[in-house]
Every structure is written in structure tokens, then in C-alpha cells.
Amino acid sequence: MGRRLLSFSSSLSISFCFFAFLQDAVFLVVANRNQSLTPTSSMPINRDLYHFSGDLMEQIKALVHRHPGKLTMETIKSRNKGYRAEISVVTYCRGGGEYDDRSMFRILLSFGQHGRELITSELAYRILSILSEEQFLPNMDPASLNSTLDKLVIKVVPMENLNGRRLVEAGDLCERKNGRGVDLNRNWSVDWGKKEKDYDPYEENPGTAPFSEPETQIMRKLALSFDPHVWINVHSGMEALFMPYDHKNTTPDGPPSHQMKLLLEELNYLHCQKRCMIGSGGGSVGYLAHGTATDFMYDVVKVPMAFTFEIYGDREASSKDCFKMFNPTDLSTFNRVLNDWSAAFFTIFNLGPHQLGEVHSKEPVSTLDKWVSIDDYLDGYLMERSSRYGKKMEVLELGMQEIRTYFRLFLLSSVLLLFMFCSRISKSKYNRPVISAIPL
């Protein structure tokens, strides 16, 4: 009996290990296949216009170093099963980063979430250069601008997907996912994992679970700790000003939605010459996107104004020419995009606080850890947060997803063990020696 129990225990352990291995193997196969089947772009990166990722981050670091009274910078690192990621965050605040979190108007901007959209990170650099007053916007009064900026704290993520960007620079110019094949804008928890009829796993792989990726883990903790009033996720591929929702064909109800729409209409008139598409991402693009950052910011973090901007797209480019489709390739268009959209962001800096009215104090959220291990990311879910309903619900939702995942593995293992047990009984029954009842 003891040997049977030992055998059963060993089989159980082997089964769990097998299914854990199988889960990782399937994920890696999909990621590798994804990378191998991604079409290549026919136009190379124009190095007269675009920085290498390392050079761009060095330029930003030097900019921060030259303006310690306005800019600070931190690099946050995370890892998961041998996969490492890091995200640099630049904070603009007059006075060298010393500010009262509850009295300032807070803005969080993310660029470069998809590796192939190089123009977005160039825009981040341009905005930081204007904030530091090394570059200037035409037709803007510096005194008026400074009066506006005195009331703001702005956090800028110039390149959210550094590993994906490096794949693009290595020659895979159509790559939008991170370094192991996951679309970071499908890896958030709101409506995660749902697949439409036109779902393309090579473009929209959501990962094995919400926040399975180090990059989204970092961004989630940054958003919850900073608790912004405005969130903007910057992309390219078209010209559009989107508000929630991405996962359904509607916009939110109530006054905040109306204020968002008013602001977008003003931006479209002033900076897009009314050519930008406006509305919900899910209702305007022609497809629904599940597990996006902007829907999470609006529904869970409760950001009053949450947007996704698409700053450039070449509709005449071949579908195989990804670089041209997502990035301007001539100097004139490159400068126009950066100038127009820089001005649009400074309009937001000016109008945002007025659109929301009086800023109400918010409870500060726990300090952001600079090292976030994916091995203990559940600790992040259980950390003390503000008592807002959405955040508590997300903790419960993510916990239930973890339980469901392990329960499925348990059921699969049980079925396999039952099959092995029945097979052993069957073999032992038929392998017994046959003893004749008739004596020879």
C-alpha cells in the first residue's frame, strides 16, 4: 500500500510538472511562431530622423541631468521566468520633484507601448525638451505656459516597450509585441482574454494572464501609486483621439465622459484641423480590443480623463511596409507630426485642469517599489490601496482568475492520473499467468 501511495504521489507530481511545462511550452511556441511569421518591412529605419533606443534614452537622461530643478528620472525593473524588462519614468515638476501629491494636477503619459511605433518616443523627447525650455512652441507665451505648468506634475514614460523596440531595431520592423511575444495593450485586466472573430494571435497575443508581463506590472503599480487625473496612451497607425471604451462600442455615461469629449473636440479643431477620428476606441476603429491600458485606467484606477491618441498613419502604405505605415519617413512630415502633437499636449496641460474643474484631494497611494519581481506580484494585488471600489474589485477578479487557472490544471492532472491508474489495473489483470484447471 505504501508503495502504491508513493507511486501515486510521484505520478501526481509528475503530472503537475508536465502541465506546468506544457503551459510554458505552448506560450513559447506561440511567441516564437509569432515572431517567425511576422512580415518584414520594405523600408528601413531612417537614422537621420530616428534615434536608436539606447541613444534616445541617453539623450533624455542628459536632458534630465541638465535640468534638475524641473526633471527627475527613475528606472524601474521587473522580471518573470528569466524575462527581464525595465521602464524609465521622467517626472516634470518645478522644484526638483518636491510636490504635494494631493494638491497638484497629475498627468501620466505613455509612449512606445508597441515597438514599431518609433514616432511616439520621438514625440516624448520633444515634449520633455519643451518642458525643460530647451525647445519652444511657436505662438505660445512662455509666461502663460509657466503659470500653467506650476500647477502640474507630469510623468512621462518615453519607451514602455524597450525589448520590443530592440527587436524592431534588429530588423523586425513589423513587431508590436514585447520581447517574448505579448501585446502589452492586451495584457491588462479589464475584459482580458476575450477574442473577437477577427482575432489575430500574431498581433494581439494577450499573454497567459492579466499582468503576466513585467512591463504591464510596472505600469500598473506606477498608475496606482501616482493616481493621475489624466492618462494618455500614445500610438501611431492612424490619426485619432480616442476615449473609453476599447472593449465595447460605447462611451461612458455621465459628466466625465462629456468633459472628455469636449476636450477632444477642441484638440481636433486646434491641432488636427478636424481630420482626427473622435470617439470610443471600440466604436471608431472597427474592431473591439480587450485588456487595454486605457480601459483599465478609466474603470479601475478611476482616472477622470483617460485617452488613447493615434498621432500618425499612412493609409497608402503597403501592409507589408510597417515602418512607413506607422512612422513618417520624410523630414517635413516628421517635423509636422512632432510640432502639431507637441502643441496638442500643451493644450491639454492648459485645458485639462479647467475641464475637470476644482481638483479634489485624493488619498495618497503606497510608494512605488523600484524593483518589482513577478514572482511576488500577488503581493502587489494585496497591498493597501485607497478604498475606491474599482481597485478592490480588481483584486478579487485577479484572485479568482488565479484560482480558476490552478483548478483547471488540477482537473487535467486528475483525468490523466485516472487514466494512468485504470491502465495499470487493466495491465495487471491481463498479465496474470493463466493456471489451467485440468491437470496434465
Side-chain angles (χ1 to χ4, degrees), residues 178-379:
N178 73 348
R180 61 176 178 184
V182 174
D183 184 346
L184 297 180
N185 207 29
R186 301 292 185 274
N187 192 233
W188 298 73
S189 63
V190 174
D191 217 43
W192 175 87
K194 291 189 178 178
K195 298 174 176 61
E196 298 296 317
K197 292 180 180 179
D198 59 351
Y199 168 72
D200 182 356
Y202 309 120
E203 283 277 294
E204 301 180 90
N205 177 17
T208 57
F211 305 109
S212 62
E213 303 311 294
E215 294 94 341
T216 48
Q217 274 286 309
I218 293 171
M219 291 300 299
R220 175 186 177 275
K221 294 191 81 171
L222 174 62
L224 290 172
S225 63
F226 185 51
D227 202 17
H229 299 91
V230 175
W231 153 265
I232 306 175
N233 193 10
V234 186
H235 288 269
S236 63
M238 60 192 305
E239 290 182 299
L241 300 161
F242 291 139
M243 57 189 287
Y245 290 101
D246 296 324
H247 71 280
K248 52 186 176 182
N249 186 11
T250 59
T251 55
D253 297 323
S257 179
H258 180 64
Q259 294 299 321
M260 281 192 283
K261 193 170 294 185
L262 286 178
L263 180 57
L264 294 184
E265 288 172 352
E266 184 75 8
L267 292 174
N268 194 26
Y269 174 76
L270 292 174
H271 305 291
C272 265
Q273 291 73 52
K274 296 187 176 181
R275 68 177 180 270
C276 285
M277 190 181 298
I278 290 182
S280 71
S284 304
V285 177
Y287 63 88
L288 301 181
H290 306 277
T292 67
T294 294
D295 283 358
F296 177 87
M297 295 296 174
Y298 188 78
D299 266 4
V300 179
V301 186
K302 303 299 181 186
V303 178
M305 289 189 167
F307 304 115
T308 300
F309 287 0
E310 298 272 354
I311 64 171
Y312 174 81
D314 186 344
R315 294 182 177 273
E316 297 180 0
S318 165
S319 60
K320 295 182 179 179
D321 194 348
C322 293
F323 185 76
K324 188 176 181 182
M325 186 184 299
F326 293 96
N327 305 281
T329 56
D330 63 273
L331 180 61
S332 175
T333 308
F334 179 85
N335 284 332
R336 177 187 63 78
V337 170
L338 295 187
N339 290 336
D340 287 351
W341 284 96
S342 294
F345 274 88
F346 279 84
T347 296
I348 292 171
F349 299 161
N350 183 39
L351 295 182
H354 300 291
Q355 289 290 102
L356 283 179
E358 183 179 351
V359 177
H360 298 286
S361 297
K362 296 183 178 182
E363 290 296 323
V365 191
S366 55
T367 304
L368 178 65
D369 297 324
K370 294 191 177 183
W371 274 91
V372 185
S373 169
I374 205 75
D375 296 327
D376 58 25
Y377 74 88
L378 280 176
D379 291 343

Side-chain angles (χ1 to χ4, degrees), residues 55-74:
D55 293 339
L56 181 61
M57 296 313 299
E58 284 299 320
Q59 292 284 343
I60 291 174
K61 188 182 297 184
L63 182 72
V64 172
H65 182 73
R66 292 194 297 272
H67 301 279
K70 299 176 181 176
L71 301 175
T72 57
M73 183 173 179
E74 61 178 335

Side-chain angles (χ1 to χ4, degrees), residues 141-177:
D141 177 22
S144 174
L145 177 62
N146 289 336
S147 175
T148 297
L149 295 176
D150 282 342
K151 306 167 187 175
L152 306 181
V153 179
I154 305 168
K155 284 190 181 289
V156 178
V157 176
M159 198 176 300
E160 182 181 329
N161 184 7
L162 178 59
N163 291 337
R165 171 67 176 264
R166 286 169 176 164
L167 291 176
V168 172
E169 293 173 342
D172 193 354
L173 300 186
C174 289
E175 184 59 81
R176 70 184 246 143
K177 304 176 297 300

